[in-house]
Amino acid sequence: MGLFRKSKEEKERKELKRHIDKLMKDYSKEKIDGDTYFKKMMDLTTSHQKKKK
């Protein structure tokens, strides 16, 4: 049981990191503004926290 749970958590963490990296890249290339970046980052972290519960 522990091995599978860890694997699931690792997959979720990698997925979250992938989304965050994309947001950071879009922001650095000025594809999105600061307000949009902040809102999307907050949405990502909030949804990840809700999934953990």
Side-chain angles (χ1 to χ4, degrees):
M1 182 175 159
L3 294 175
F4 295 111
R5 181 168 175 83
K6 185 175 182 182
S7 177
K8 181 181 175 186
E9 288 174 355
E10 286 177 5
K11 287 179 184 178
E12 290 174 354
R13 187 175 293 130
K14 285 181 182 180
E15 183 71 16
L16 178 62
K17 184 180 180 329
R18 186 177 64 80
H19 286 290
I20 290 173
D21 288 345
K22 183 181 181 325
L23 268 178
M24 291 171 62
K25 185 176 180 180
D26 287 348
Y27 179 69
S28 70
K29 290 186 174 186
E30 298 181 354
K31 290 183 179 180
I32 58 175
D33 63 359
D35 291 337
T36 303
Y37 172 80
F38 178 75
K39 182 182 179 329
K40 288 185 176 188
M41 188 65 75
M42 292 302 294
D43 291 345
L44 273 176
T45 55
T46 302
S47 66
H48 180 70
Q49 289 173 349
K50 287 180 182 179
K51 284 182 183 179
K52 287 179 72 175
K53 291 182 179 181

